[in-house]
Amino acid sequence: MRVDGAPKVGYLLSQHQLVYLTKVQVLDGNLYFTSLMPLVKLSVDSESAPNPSVNPHVLGDLVLGSGIQWSDKKLFNHSFWHRAEFDVNLPTGSYNTDFAINPSGNLYSLSLYYTFSFFIPAS
């Protein structure tokens, strides 16, 4: 929902991920490690009010994680890939209290997630 007069925040994101999938078996899957490094360019445009200050630096917060990858399993006789992961967000990015908008949140966080890919072949 757009509020009249509210500034419009724009961004360009380049998300870089490294994954190392080991041969170590855990719960019938493979242990893996990952890191994510976002690079983000922010901009603000306001038609009726002064623009809030924007940090010109691009480095976002580093995310490190580990999980289990189950590759090429079968579900309803179709290829099914899934993983469970635990991530730690580290406040390593560009953050400065002099700016109203920053590419970094300047905080630690922990998160768990599960994701899957289910492949149905074209017939």
Side-chain angles (χ1 to χ4, degrees):
M1 179 172 96
R2 176 100 169 119
V3 177
D4 289 335
K8 182 190 289 186
V9 177
Y11 62 91
L12 177 63
L13 171 69
S14 179
Q15 179 82 342
H16 302 269
Q17 181 175 24
L18 293 173
V19 177
Y20 176 65
L21 184 63
T22 72
K23 294 181 180 183
V24 176
Q25 293 283 303
V26 178
L27 299 174
D28 200 32
N30 292 86
L31 180 66
Y32 74 93
F33 301 95
T34 184
S35 66
L36 293 145
M37 177 51 69
L39 300 175
V40 59
K41 178 66 177 163
L42 298 163
S43 65
V44 177
D45 184 30
S46 177
E47 298 168 357
S48 63
N51 286 337
S53 59
V54 177
N55 190 328
H57 299 284
V58 298
L59 191 60
D61 291 334
L62 177 66
V63 178
L64 299 176
S66 181
I68 303 169
Q69 170 76 41
W70 295 276
S71 302
D72 204 19
K73 302 298 180 183
K74 296 293 182 192
L75 181 65
F76 304 118
N77 209 29
H78 293 293
S79 187
F80 180 68
W81 299 60
H82 56 130
R83 69 179 181 219
E85 184 171 320
F86 173 73
D87 289 330
V88 177
N89 189 79
L90 303 171
T92 57
S94 303
Y95 182 86
N96 187 324
T97 56
D98 292 340
F99 298 103
I101 301 173
N102 287 280
S104 167
N106 194 38
L107 53 89
Y108 292 91
S109 67
L110 306 174
S111 62
L112 294 170
Y113 85 91
Y114 171 80
T115 187
F116 67 89
S117 297
F118 182 67
F119 298 97
I120 300 173
S123 44

